[in-house]
Amino acid sequence: MNRTDRLYALVEELRASAPRRRSARELAALYEVSVRTIERDLGALQQAGVPIYADVGRGGGYTLDKERTLPPVNFTASEAVALAICLGQAGDTLYAQAARTALNKILSVMPAADNDAARNLASRIRFHVPKDGEEAARPARDAVLEEAMLARRVVRITYVDRHGSETQREVEPQAFTVAERGWYLLAWCRLRGECRVFRLDRVLRAVPLDEIAPERSWDSLGEPPKEIRTKALELA
């Protein structure tokens, strides 16, 4: 059994066994490989975002959260690559890491033959990269703002406006939007007492505070600037 087949089989074995734990020794014997190889495979699956949990000590082992994983799916190679292309457009900005782990989860539950075909097709598609061959590092502020949006946390940001003036203000993140010049944060600005739009590349720092922001309806935020037109992201 090659490694791709074994990774797929490991996920399905843990899914079938859940919530019972399986030891690395049991799994190694099942797939006729060393315990070290199984531990390395399980570590790779965890890094890819598969919710595998480990307990140490007597009676411990590995288990998988069935509610947070996909059963085998029937994506074709072309469908998987199409998703990869769309997710690849996230680049290294908002939700880029989430896009990568989502794709890894899909690949981990595809049948081995379809997985191999998708990887082969993907190898024939090329994205343009910067001249130096390196993508820009993803700013830490993006992760802070993503988490604040989910948890409804107030954030203290340091912001530079188009005139070069730097201000520090507390904001309540409400939405993200993208336009020709990149990503923007729509947030309730406590300094101005109204909703404001902030270009993410002008946010120098973002520090989450302990305070939970009050709930605000979308209508109460007012209209965004005329040059920014928005609509809600649809999942279906």
Side-chain angles (χ1 to χ4, degrees):
M1 179 182 290
N2 62 41
R3 188 168 188 252
T4 299
D5 290 341
R6 189 172 64 249
L7 291 174
Y8 169 76
L10 273 170
V11 172
E12 291 312 302
E13 181 65 27
L14 291 175
R15 187 197 309 282
S17 301
R20 184 168 68 88
R21 287 165 172 71
R22 301 295 300 274
S23 70
R25 191 173 298 279
E26 284 181 296
L27 295 169
L30 179 63
Y31 297 109
E32 299 180 340
V33 294
S34 69
V35 171
R36 185 186 180 103
T37 296
I38 286 294
E39 290 175 340
R40 188 164 52 242
D41 288 348
L42 291 168
L45 289 168
Q46 289 172 320
Q47 290 180 3
V50 180
I52 295 173
Y53 304 100
D55 287 331
V56 297
R58 191 185 184 103
Y62 294 88
T63 188
L64 180 144
D65 186 346
K66 296 174 71 172
E67 293 185 356
R68 299 186 62 190
T69 60
L70 294 169
V73 292
N74 295 319
F75 281 113
T76 66
S78 295
E79 288 171 337
V81 170
L83 286 172
I85 291 172
C86 293
L87 295 174
Q89 300 305 308
D92 281 309
T93 56
L94 290 167
Y95 301 102
Q97 182 59 40
R100 284 189 283 270
T101 57
L103 181 60
N104 284 334
K105 287 178 181 179
I106 290 171
L107 291 172
S108 71
V109 295
M110 287 178 66
D114 292 338
N115 189 304
D116 290 342
R119 293 181 185 278
N120 180 273
L121 178 57
S123 71
R124 302 170 187 274
I125 296 172
R126 294 287 187 268
F127 282 100
H128 173 75
V129 296
K131 290 182 179 179
D132 59 7
E134 297 181 357
E135 294 184 0
R138 181 170 178 263
R141 57 132 204 272
D142 289 359
V144 170
L145 294 173
E146 288 173 19
E147 180 59 30
M149 188 80 70
L150 283 173
R152 222 174 72 234
R153 296 273 293 277
V154 178
V155 180
R156 180 179 293 118
I157 65 171
T158 303
Y159 188 72
V160 177
D161 66 19
R162 60 183 177 180
H163 304 297
S165 299
E166 182 176 312
T167 58
Q168 190 173 91
R169 57 186 81 190
E170 293 181 3
V171 301
E172 302 168 16
Q174 302 295 326
F176 292 117
T177 188
V178 64
E180 291 182 2
R181 296 182 180 180
W183 283 90
Y184 292 78
L185 169 70
L186 279 67
W188 183 266
C189 176
R190 293 185 167 183
L191 179 64
R192 306 302 183 196
E194 61 183 3
C195 186
R196 287 296 179 95
V197 179
F198 304 95
R199 262 180 54 176
L200 285 191
D201 60 354
R202 290 179 178 162
V203 178
L204 302 183
R205 286 175 294 279
V207 179
L209 305 181
D210 292 333
E211 182 182 355
I212 300 299
E215 288 195 40
R216 298 183 187 275
S217 68
W218 185 254
D219 291 339
S220 72
L221 300 177
E223 291 293 327
K226 293 181 179 179
E227 64 269 20
I228 298 179
R229 299 177 61 188
T230 67
K231 68 174 182 177
L233 175 66
E234 298 178 356
L235 295 183

